[in-house]
Amino acid sequence: MHLVTVLPAWMIADGEYGDLAVGRAAEFGFALEPESVDVGAFPPGFAQSGDRVPVTTISGSVLRPSSQTPTIVDAGTLMPVLHGAAPSGDGVLARGRLVVEPLLWSSDGVLWPLLPDGVRLWSVDRIREVATDSTDLDISPAVSEVDHDAVYLLDLSRP
């Protein structure tokens, strides 16, 4: 399984993911920032299109593990937080940006104990900084080197 996800500049600047490097493994949970959400009976799955800042399409069932947690889309192979989701139990087809989510899915966050499969080990295959052009990086930038106008992309894979 391969996917591309956005690593927000503010997360790097806050020191959330300062040790990422190409070729290393890392644990990630995700969120989907949707451009659109349709409610219906859609089979679980995901697809990505576009290589600059990819659009991710995810379909599956909406879960709300507790009243204290945000909604999740169980897409079978991915379980991202879905901002602005349909009510729990519905099926959805959502399109948007897939974003690394370190706070809710961390070991002391609200989601990890309830849905441990939401966080999985991934291989970091590529790190890109996308501004006026695209630059490949060997490691994520240091806190002092973050370009807040750029988008940072991670190419990830799982066996």
Side-chain angles (χ1 to χ4, degrees), residues 103-118:
L103 303 175
L104 297 171
W105 286 116
S106 66
S107 60
D108 57 352
V110 296
L111 287 175
W112 181 80
L114 299 172
L115 291 169
D117 286 343

Side-chain angles (χ1 to χ4, degrees), residues 7-55:
L7 179 63
W10 71 265
M11 289 184 189
I12 302 170
D14 283 354
E16 299 289 344
Y17 285 106
D19 60 350
L20 292 178
V22 173
R24 283 192 195 154
E27 286 187 327
F28 295 109
F30 304 103
L32 187 72
E33 297 177 349
E35 297 171 353
S36 66
V37 176
D38 295 321
V39 178
F42 302 103
F46 87 96
Q48 290 192 307
S49 61
D51 60 358
R52 187 165 173 81
V53 179
V55 173

Side-chain angles (χ1 to χ4, degrees), residues 3-158:
L3 59 86
V4 179
T5 187
V6 175
L7 179 63
W10 71 265
M11 289 184 189
I12 302 170
D14 283 354
E16 299 289 344
Y17 285 106
D19 60 350
L20 292 178
V22 173
R24 283 192 195 154
E27 286 187 327
F28 295 109
F30 304 103
L32 187 72
E33 297 177 349
E35 297 171 353
S36 66
V37 176
D38 295 321
V39 178
F42 302 103
F46 87 96
Q48 290 192 307
S49 61
D51 60 358
R52 187 165 173 81
V53 179
V55 173
T56 303
T57 302
I58 291 181
S59 56
S61 300
V62 177
L63 307 175
R64 184 129 191 227
S66 81
S67 61
Q68 309 302 312
T69 64
T71 52
I72 308 298
V73 176
D74 183 355
T77 52
L78 292 176
M79 292 174 43
V81 175
L82 182 60
H83 299 293
S88 179
D90 284 348
V92 298
L93 177 68
R95 291 172 46 84
R97 294 187 346 156
L98 189 65
V99 178
V100 171
E101 172 52 81
L103 303 175
L104 297 171
W105 286 116
S106 66
S107 60
D108 57 352
V110 296
L111 287 175
W112 181 80
L114 299 172
L115 291 169
D117 286 343
V119 176
R120 296 190 180 175
L121 194 63
W122 296 84
S123 173
V124 178
D125 298 332
R126 188 177 180 197
I127 302 172
R128 288 180 278 167
E129 178 181 343
V130 180
T132 53
D133 57 3
S134 183
T135 304
D136 280 17
L137 306 173
D138 292 327
I139 61 172
S140 56
V143 170
S144 61
E145 298 171 348
V146 173
D147 179 351
H148 289 277
D149 294 324
V151 175
Y152 293 90
L153 300 179
L154 297 177
D155 290 43
L156 305 172
S157 64
R158 281 182 47 83

